Amino acid sequence: GCGLSEADVRCITNEKIYDPKNIGLDTANDVAQLKRSKGSGFGLMNCKGIIEKYRKTNAIFNVSCFRVESEPGKGSRFYFRLPKGVKKAFMVALISTMTMLQACTPKPVVEEQPKETWSPEYEALLDLASDYANDAYYANIDGEYEQTLAYVDSALQCLNKHYETYADEPMRYMQFTGDEQPAEFTWWKSAYDTDFHIILDIRNEAAVACLALNRLDEYEYNNMVYTLLYKLLGEDQSLDGYFDELQRSASQKLACVWVIIVLLLTLPIGYYFLYYRRRQQEQRQLSELLQIYQTVSHASQTNIVSDDDEVLLSEEDSLKEIPQRILNEVANLFSRLFGTRQVVVALSNNAQKQLTYSCMDNAPLDADVEALMKQTYEASIQLTHEQWHAYPLVAQVSQRTVCIGAMCICFPVETLQPSKRLLLQLLVRYLSIVLYNAVVKLSNQYLHIEEVQEENRRASWEDSQLYVQNQVLDNCLSAIKHETIYYPNRIKQLINRLQNESLTDAEELEVVTTISELIAHYKGVYMLLSQCASRQMEEVTFRRSKLTVVEIMHSAKLYFDKQKQADGTEVVLELLPIEYEVVGDKHQLNFLLENLIDEALSVNESGQLTLKAEVDNGFVRFMFIDHRRNLSEEMLNQLFYPDLSRMKQGEHDSLKGTEYLLCKQIIRDHDEFAGRRGCRINAEVHQGGGFTVYFTLPN
């Protein structure tokens, strides 16, 4: 080569990392050719790094070094140095490794003898035969061939004697010459433990001596034995194991090939059953779910063609048939998708707050299922009874969740997969939305239409009543005008006659008597007509409107606080309202509660009063509980009837003890004018002590 410059040598020996592409460019004859033939250069870096690592490991390696000698135009010399001890250690490690590998190689030819056979007597004959073999070797060197054959014969006798002593039957002895198969091969096959190297030596020396003495037959025999025995001793005994290993490797490779083939065949099958088939099932289930959606949507459609009362009533009745029509049309789809046996849907009736049940195929409803659906509707949670599973029908109304009913399905739960459970939840949710919009919401609209029509009829009736009242009042006023206009003028004429004319006593008495009769008659007629007009003016129309329970109780609370502050009694009023609406006259209801509060505060006893409300079969029941007093049932039954012993004169000409009579009349007016019969008021003994006055109002 052209060698390296001093800068390149310093870079290789001093720098840990450098760019090999720049090495040798300063002294190169053909730079382009050098760049194309250059390697990575990491070999020198790794070699230098290994030597430096040795130097840092132990003080023994201080003499280690990595050097580069180069002269431009002549070439370069790269070398490294290690301690002598390290070289010896490397050789010892190499020899030990080779010994271990040789020891690990299987030797199937000669079996290991039991340990008790390895004794000085066992090896004495072999040592003696070895000495004769050495003597034969040196005799051949000295040219004493006859003496060599004598030594060979002595060695054969020692080996035969050793064989006779320690070998098993049958016996085969070695011979100097012969036509039969040599005994050495029998010993080799039987794995007899002897020194075959001695036999190899004496056969070799015998062949040499026979050839020198021109004894060709004996030469051929001993040379043949030597050659075959040499091949046996020199053959690689690990070939069988190697072939076995190759055979096992081939078998393993063949097994791997078959495993790969089986895997390649099973992968499509596994993909089909584990992924594709399940995906297809999910798509089929979603398709069936969408089909159920379409069926439910089609079955829930209704058409309102007129605003006529009879048409509205028929449409409202048809809404009750929507759940039944939905169940009848989706029965087969339900059974095919979920394996259901029966489906029951219950919807809440807004008017009466009762559940209306619809069963698939109009099947009879079991009492346990009905109770389960009521519990689900009231608690708004999923419940299970044997194979019946009830789900609440929940809808979102004005940012709040409302339970509109319940859905009960009969199917074995263990057969329902997790994916189908999710589909069932989606279906229940969708059915809730459809039933709310198609039945509940429209029913509310029909109810509102009925309420508007009822309000219209009530307003028309009140208008007619007011018109009649105005006509009667007008007639009364006209009668007062026409019937009494004569009397004042006639009385004035008679009075002027008394003042201006001179009358006798009899005439004056007659005129005065006439005036008295006219005044009395005028007063009677006027009072009669005035009383009739007054009665028409005092008759007030019932003012019906929608009121919230919270609003009514709030007014009662304000009145109670005002009266309590005036009386100074230690009584507490507890309110338990509900989010509900009632129909009634606001002023009359406030007056009713004021009467109940006044009657309770008339008893100067400390304690607690409770005003609560709850839904009662289409009505709202108000309960006014007095925990302080305990009244018998007989006394409670007489509260709403006149009793002179309970009535007394109060302040400002007020009558005490008539509060319950006024409350009874107010409830009667609501029963007559509120639009729904069934408003009641009564009193009963309270279970926790005291008594309860309750009254019902329509919602």
Side-chain angles (χ1 to χ4, degrees):
C2 57
L4 300 175
S5 64
E6 293 183 1
D8 292 337
V9 172
R10 287 195 302 271
C11 181
I12 294 173
T13 57
N14 298 331
E15 299 293 336
K16 292 183 178 180
I17 300 175
Y18 53 89
D19 189 3
K21 297 180 180 179
N22 298 326
I23 301 299
L25 299 181
D26 298 336
T27 59
N29 297 327
D30 188 356
V31 177
Q33 178 65 25
L34 180 61
K35 286 184 177 180
R36 288 194 297 270
S37 61
K38 267 184 171 295
S40 62
F42 290 105
L44 290 177
M45 295 183 191
N46 292 334
C47 184
K48 181 173 176 290
I50 292 171
I51 298 301
E52 293 295 329
K53 184 176 181 182
Y54 283 157
R55 290 173 57 84
K56 297 176 182 178
T57 303
N58 200 314
I60 299 175
F61 297 96
N62 289 335
V63 297
S64 302
C65 65
F66 176 82
R67 294 288 183 267
V68 178
E69 296 178 357
S70 179
E71 291 183 13
K74 292 184 177 182
S76 303
R77 175 171 173 259
F78 300 84
Y79 67 92
F80 63 93
R81 180 184 177 188
L82 293 174
K84 293 183 179 180
V86 175
K87 294 181 180 178
K88 295 180 180 179
F90 284 164
M91 294 301 296
V92 172
L94 180 60
I95 294 172
S96 301
T97 303
M98 295 300 295
T99 304
M100 292 176 62
L101 292 175
Q102 185 177 2
C104 294
T105 304
K107 298 179 180 179
V109 177
V110 181
E111 296 183 358
E112 184 180 359
Q113 296 294 334
K115 291 184 178 180
E116 59 269 17
T117 62
W118 294 94
S119 60
E121 295 79 6
Y122 185 85
E123 296 182 353
L125 293 174
L126 296 179
D127 293 338
L128 183 59
S130 178
D131 294 338
Y132 284 131
N134 293 331
D135 293 339
Y137 171 74
Y138 290 111
N140 272 336
I141 292 176
D142 296 336
E144 299 177 355
Y145 301 112
E146 293 291 343
Q147 188 65 32
T148 299
L149 296 178
Y151 288 140
V152 169
D153 184 66
S154 299
L156 289 175
Q157 291 179 6
C158 292
L159 292 173
N160 287 332
K161 187 175 181 180
H162 184 274
Y163 177 75
E164 182 181 3
T165 305
Y166 297 102
D168 297 332
E169 295 291 340
M171 293 295 181
R172 287 289 308 277
Y173 299 102
M174 291 188 294
Q175 297 178 2
F176 184 77
T177 183
D179 297 332
E180 298 179 358
Q181 182 181 8
E184 290 90 332
F185 302 135
T186 304
W187 295 2
W188 179 272
K189 293 179 180 179
S190 62
Y192 172 65
D193 188 12
T194 188
D195 196 341
F196 287 96
H197 293 282
I198 298 175
I199 300 174
L200 186 65
D201 291 340
I202 62 177
R203 289 296 185 183
N204 183 34
E205 299 302 330
V208 172
C210 290
L211 182 62
L213 296 175
N214 200 20
R215 297 165 63 173
L216 298 180
D217 294 336
E218 295 175 355
Y219 163 74
E220 291 179 359
Y221 180 81
N222 285 277
N223 186 57
M224 180 268 296
V225 174
Y226 169 77
T227 303
L228 295 178
L229 189 59
Y230 180 80
K231 291 180 179 180
L232 291 175
L233 290 174
E235 71 179 0
D236 189 1
Q237 300 295 331
S238 62
L239 287 178
D240 292 339
Y242 179 71
F243 290 147
D244 294 339
E245 186 67 25
L246 287 178
Q247 187 175 5
R248 286 195 299 270
S249 177
S251 300
Q252 292 176 358
K253 291 180 180 179
L254 183 61
C256 292
V257 171
W258 279 109
V259 169
I260 293 174
I261 294 174
V262 171
L263 287 177
L264 292 177
L265 293 176
T266 55
L267 278 177
I269 300 175
Y271 173 80
Y272 173 77
F273 283 99
L274 297 178
Y275 178 78
Y276 185 77
R277 181 172 174 268
R278 187 173 66 178
R279 189 67 179 270
Q280 290 295 321
Q281 288 179 350
E282 293 177 355
Q283 292 180 356
R284 180 177 55 82
Q285 292 172 1
L286 287 176
S287 176
E288 292 179 354
L289 183 65
L290 293 177
Q291 187 177 359
I292 293 177
Y293 283 179
Q294 294 176 358
T295 305
V296 170
S297 177
H298 177 73
S300 62
Q301 293 179 359
T302 56
N303 296 319
I304 301 177
V305 297
S306 175
D307 291 337
D308 186 73
D309 293 348
E310 294 182 358
V311 175
L312 288 176
L313 289 176
S314 62
E315 290 291 340
E316 185 176 4
D317 293 336
S318 66
L319 291 178
K320 300 177 182 179
E321 301 177 358
I322 290 178
Q324 185 65 48
R325 187 164 65 246
I326 291 175
L327 292 181
N328 292 337
E329 294 188 10
V330 302
N332 295 331
L333 297 176
F334 259 96
S335 178
R336 185 172 60 189
L337 182 57
F338 301 107
T340 57
R341 302 172 183 173
Q342 181 59 267
V343 181
V344 182
V345 173
L347 288 180
S348 175
N349 187 340
N350 288 330
Q352 301 179 357
K353 297 302 176 183
Q354 292 180 347
L355 292 177
T356 303
Y357 298 91
S358 301
C359 299
M360 186 182 293
D361 300 329
N362 295 319
L365 182 62
D366 188 49
D368 295 337
V369 177
E370 183 177 355
L372 179 64
M373 298 184 72
K374 286 183 178 179
Q375 294 177 4
T376 303
Y377 168 71
E378 294 173 356
S380 296
I381 58 175
Q382 179 182 348
L383 298 176
T384 302
H385 176 69
E386 294 179 353
Q387 291 188 351
W388 288 94
H389 306 272
Y391 300 88
L393 298 178
V394 180
Q396 198 75 17
V397 181
S398 301
Q399 298 181 353
R400 63 188 181 96
T401 303
V402 178
C403 185
I404 63 172
M407 180 178 180
C408 198
I409 305 174
C410 179
F411 62 86
V413 68
E414 61 273 4
T415 61
L416 198 61
Q417 301 174 357
S419 59
K420 289 189 177 181
R421 294 187 183 184
L422 178 60
L423 295 179
L424 182 58
Q425 293 177 359
L426 293 175
L427 180 58
V428 172
R429 179 64 176 167
Y430 178 75
L431 192 61
S432 303
I433 297 173
V434 170
L435 291 177
Y436 172 75
N437 289 280
V439 180
V440 178
K441 193 173 181 180
L442 286 181
S443 297
N444 293 336
Q445 293 178 359
Y446 288 138
L447 182 61
H448 293 163
I449 293 174
E450 290 180 358
E451 291 178 353
V452 170
Q453 291 176 345
E454 212 172 287
E455 184 69 20
N456 186 22
R457 288 191 294 269
R458 182 189 64 82
S460 177
W461 177 81
E462 290 179 353
D463 181 69
S464 300
Q465 186 181 17
L466 186 61
Y467 175 78
V468 172
Q469 290 176 354
N470 291 333
Q471 291 297 322
V472 172
L473 180 61
D474 184 67
N475 292 335
C476 291
L477 295 177
S478 298
I480 291 174
K481 175 183 178 182
H482 292 289
E483 296 297 334
T484 61
I485 194 173
Y486 164 77
Y487 296 101
N489 189 31
R490 179 60 180 164
I491 292 172
K492 181 179 179 181
Q493 290 178 358
L494 293 175
I495 292 174
N496 290 335
R497 183 181 177 186
L498 288 175
Q499 292 177 352
N500 298 327
E501 295 180 3
S502 298
L503 301 175
T504 61
D505 295 338
E507 291 176 346
E508 288 182 357
L509 180 60
E510 183 181 357
V511 172
V512 170
T513 303
T514 303
I515 292 173
S516 299
E517 291 177 353
L518 287 174
I519 290 174
H521 187 69
Y522 173 68
K523 181 180 179 181
V525 173
Y526 187 84
M527 291 297 296
L528 179 63
L529 296 177
S530 297
Q531 288 178 0
C532 181
S534 177
R535 283 197 303 271
Q536 293 297 323
M537 292 297 296
E538 290 176 356
E539 186 174 350
V540 180
T541 305
F542 183 84
R543 303 295 179 184
R544 188 181 69 169
S545 61
K546 280 192 173 183
L547 306 171
T548 62
V549 176
V550 177
E551 178 185 356
I552 296 173
M553 289 192 176
H554 179 68
S555 301
K557 180 64 175 177
L558 294 178
Y559 183 78
F560 173 81
D561 294 339
K562 178 180 178 182
Q563 294 299 109
K564 176 185 174 182
Q565 186 177 5
D567 297 343
T569 56
E570 296 295 331
V571 183
V572 179
L573 177 62
E574 181 185 9
L575 301 180
L576 299 175
I578 59 175
E579 295 291 336
Y580 233 73
E581 292 183 348
V582 296
V583 177
D585 191 312
K586 177 180 179 181
H587 301 287
Q588 289 192 14
L589 292 177
N590 291 338
F591 185 61
L592 184 151
L593 293 175
E594 290 173 3
N595 278 279
L596 293 178
I597 293 172
D598 290 339
E599 195 280 332
L601 294 178
S602 64
V603 179
N604 191 9
E605 294 182 8
S606 61
Q608 181 179 353
L609 303 176
T610 302
L611 179 60
K612 62 183 295 187
E614 62 182 23
V615 179
D616 183 15
N617 196 17
F619 289 82
V620 176
R621 179 189 290 262
F622 289 83
M623 290 170 284
F624 187 81
I625 306 171
D626 191 343
H627 300 277
R628 304 169 301 164
R629 295 178 289 172
N630 294 320
L631 302 180
S632 62
E633 292 186 2
E634 184 178 356
M635 296 178 63
L636 294 175
N637 293 333
Q638 298 298 325
L639 286 180
F640 301 100
Y641 294 95
D643 189 357
L644 295 179
S645 61
R646 192 173 65 248
M647 300 178 184
K648 58 182 179 180
Q649 185 71 24
E651 298 179 357
H652 306 292
D653 296 332
S654 62
L655 186 61
K656 299 290 184 180
T658 60
E659 293 85 353
Y660 293 115
L661 297 179
L662 296 175
C663 294
K664 182 179 180 180
Q665 184 59 40
I666 292 173
I667 296 301
R668 282 183 175 178
D669 290 344
H670 278 76
D671 186 64
E672 182 177 358
F673 300 111
R676 185 186 300 174
R677 294 289 182 176
C679 300
R680 299 292 182 266
I681 186 170
N682 206 345
E684 62 184 8
V685 178
H686 186 61
Q687 294 180 356
F691 69 96
T692 302
V693 176
Y694 69 87
F695 57 91
T696 56
L697 297 174
N699 60 355

